Amino acid sequence: DSATVAAAASLTKFTGHDEEELDEIDREPVDDSDASIRQASTYLFDEWMNLCVRNANDAACAQYLARLQQQRVLSSPESTTRFFRILIQVCIECALTGANNPEHSSPQLNYTALDLLSKLFVFLIKFMEPTVVPNGTSNAFATKIRLLASYLTAACTILRRDADVNQQNFNQRPYLRLFSNLLQDLHTPDQQFDSSNLDVLAALAHAFHLLRPTRVPGFVFAWLELISHRMFMPKMLISKVPQYASMYHRLLVDLFKFMQPYLRNSELTEGMRLVYKGTLRLLLVLLHDFPEFLCEFHFSFCDVIPASCIQMRNLILSAFPRTMRLPDPFTPNLKVYLLPEISLPPRISSDVNYSLHQNRSSLFFPLEHNLKTREPASFPN
């Protein structure tokens, strides 16, 4: 119906493949300077925090939801995104209050506001009234998707701009808590909407792609922990839909592309050594639990990993399907071409011609010319 179409459009706007358009949206100026809107949003969140502290009953929560709808802070995608953007910014500032105090030698962050913000989002996902479309029908899934898209858009916008402004002083820990809470709270079983829902996974995967290390280097440690989170990675790879494995493949390629200059030049700072160690651990988990994934995409992984990284490349190339039993290489008179498995074509999901097309002038065109004319005879020397 039209509500489902609207939900799909909302999700496509956030998870579409036109990344240049998304970059333009992300660079648009954000004006949250309206004091009345900011004050009203902050007051509503203070009211929610008081409800949580008092362990309010269902009736009080229902009254709060009615108040939100009366204030029309969730009446449109734009107002919803602005509402979440203001709350996320306020919660991040609260979390960093102690960290910015020079008197504390080992500052502790206060995550109370962030945790309650996550509870508010899950509360809205569960109990907000479905969107009513012009033909009079309503769709609960469309409402939930719109909320999720607005929440992720607000979180990505605030994080990227915080990283751009503070740069070396950027603190990634509050944002790690923000996304970890989201992954954890969406794990609650829901017939329509939880972290096993493919649309939810697609939205989260695209949010992490927007925050990849080459765009937000200061977020790399938290980002690596998020893409390997037990509430995210297994669900992406267990899915029977091939597109979701491709989405996770894109995240790993994002990681390898960030590390590539450092690995190629063997210039590993202390921070990059930790990223490298964390990447190896992630690959070991994939090798143990999802070797088929590494088999399917080994071409594209090796394309972006420098040849000098023998250990990392070997981890990927040593993967084989769990259903396959490898022959003993010390078997006398072993003839590999007679094995039954040799006739089974491997499943390759990577673009095997990627490297050729990336080096058209120096490799692809000379190779094509040589195959057609057998000239020059010295090729490829």
Side-chain angles (χ1 to χ4, degrees):
D1 56 17
S2 55
T4 304
V5 173
S10 176
L11 187 66
T12 301
K13 181 179 179 181
F14 185 70
T15 60
H17 298 292
D18 189 353
E19 192 166 324
E20 292 183 0
E21 180 182 349
L22 287 166
D23 285 345
E24 289 298 326
I25 294 172
D26 196 47
R27 283 194 291 265
E28 288 178 358
V30 175
D31 184 12
D32 293 332
S33 59
D34 191 322
S36 60
I37 296 177
R38 186 178 180 86
Q39 184 178 4
S41 300
T42 306
Y43 179 79
L44 287 170
F45 186 61
D46 288 341
E47 187 177 344
W48 169 256
M49 295 179 70
N50 291 331
L51 288 175
C52 294
V53 170
R54 299 199 315 263
N55 292 322
N57 55 26
D58 293 343
C61 291
Q63 291 177 0
Y64 178 76
L65 182 57
R67 186 175 178 81
L68 286 179
Q69 294 171 338
Q70 182 182 5
Q71 296 281 341
R72 300 186 63 80
V73 294
L74 306 174
S75 58
S76 68
E78 293 75 18
S79 62
T80 304
T81 302
R82 181 176 56 195
F83 176 66
F84 284 136
R85 193 165 56 231
I86 292 173
L87 296 192
I88 289 172
Q89 195 162 15
V90 168
C91 293
I92 295 296
E93 291 171 359
C94 290
L96 293 174
T97 301
N100 295 331
N101 192 340
E103 297 180 359
H104 297 164
S105 57
S106 56
Q108 297 293 323
L109 302 189
N110 184 357
Y111 295 124
T112 303
L114 281 170
D115 295 343
L116 295 181
L117 174 62
S118 180
K119 286 187 177 182
L120 173 60
F121 176 71
V122 174
F123 168 74
L124 294 175
I125 286 289
K126 288 184 176 180
F127 299 109
M128 188 171 172
E129 294 182 3
T131 303
V132 179
V133 296
N135 64 3
T137 61
S138 61
N139 190 304
F141 182 73
T143 302
K144 295 178 179 184
I145 282 293
R146 180 170 65 83
L147 283 172
L148 178 63
S150 297
Y151 190 81
L152 290 174
T153 300
C156 291
T157 302
I158 293 297
L159 191 155
R160 288 195 60 194
R161 295 184 185 195
D162 187 4
D164 289 342
V165 171
N166 291 298
Q167 296 184 357
Q168 298 297 328
N169 295 323
F170 172 70
N171 194 326
Q172 59 188 307
R173 289 185 292 167
Y175 297 98
L176 173 61
R177 183 71 167 222
L178 178 72
F179 283 103
S180 297
N181 283 345
L182 183 62
L183 290 171
Q184 187 71 36
D185 292 339
L186 286 180
H187 182 62
T188 305
D190 187 312
Q191 292 182 353
Q192 281 190 323
F193 199 89
D194 62 12
S195 58
S196 297
N197 183 283
L198 296 181
D199 291 322
V200 174
L201 289 173
L204 290 169
H206 197 72
F208 296 152
H209 178 61
L210 290 177
L211 300 173
R212 61 189 180 276
T214 51
R215 298 179 72 180
V216 193
F219 190 59
V220 60
F221 291 105
W223 186 87
L224 180 56
E225 183 169 342
L226 289 171
I227 68 166
S228 57
H229 199 284
R230 64 188 180 91
M231 299 298 181
F232 177 70
M233 181 186 74
K235 295 181 179 182
M236 291 290 289
L237 300 180
I238 288 173
S239 169
K240 302 298 182 182
V241 183
Q243 288 83 350
Y244 291 88
S246 297
M247 290 181 191
Y248 196 77
H249 153 261
R250 183 174 65 172
L251 294 175
L252 277 187
V253 170
D254 290 338
L255 176 61
F256 294 143
K257 284 183 176 179
F258 170 72
M259 299 175 63
Q260 189 181 58
Y262 302 94
L263 297 176
R264 181 185 292 113
N265 300 324
S266 299
E267 296 176 356
L268 293 183
T269 62
E270 187 61 31
M272 283 307 303
R273 289 182 186 278
L274 292 175
V275 175
Y276 179 77
K277 185 182 295 186
T279 303
L280 289 181
R281 290 180 177 179
L282 173 57
L283 289 176
L284 283 171
V285 173
L286 291 171
L287 179 64
H288 183 271
D289 295 341
F290 303 101
E292 295 83 0
F293 170 73
L294 294 179
C295 293
E296 286 183 36
F297 295 100
H298 72 276
F299 273 110
S300 54
F301 290 150
C302 290
D303 280 341
V304 293
I305 298 176
S308 58
C309 298
I310 299 174
Q311 183 182 26
M312 185 177 290
R313 291 169 68 98
N314 283 347
L315 268 178
I316 295 172
L317 296 176
S318 64
F320 62 91
R322 284 168 291 184
T323 56
M324 180 181 292
R325 184 176 179 182
L326 296 184
D328 184 359
F330 299 104
T331 303
N333 302 319
L334 175 65
K335 295 181 173 56
V336 177
Y337 60 87
L338 294 179
L339 296 175
E341 292 83 2
I342 205 70
S343 61
L344 301 176
R347 181 174 177 176
I348 303 297
S349 300
S350 301
D351 181 7
V352 296
N353 296 318
Y354 175 81
S355 292
L356 288 175
H357 291 303
Q358 288 293 106
N359 301 277
R360 285 178 176 271
S361 59
S362 61
L363 182 60
F364 180 75
F365 291 133
L367 176 62
E368 189 176 42
H369 176 75
N370 180 265
L371 292 175
K372 289 180 179 179
T373 64
R374 297 300 178 183
E375 294 178 356
S378 60
F379 185 85
N381 299 323

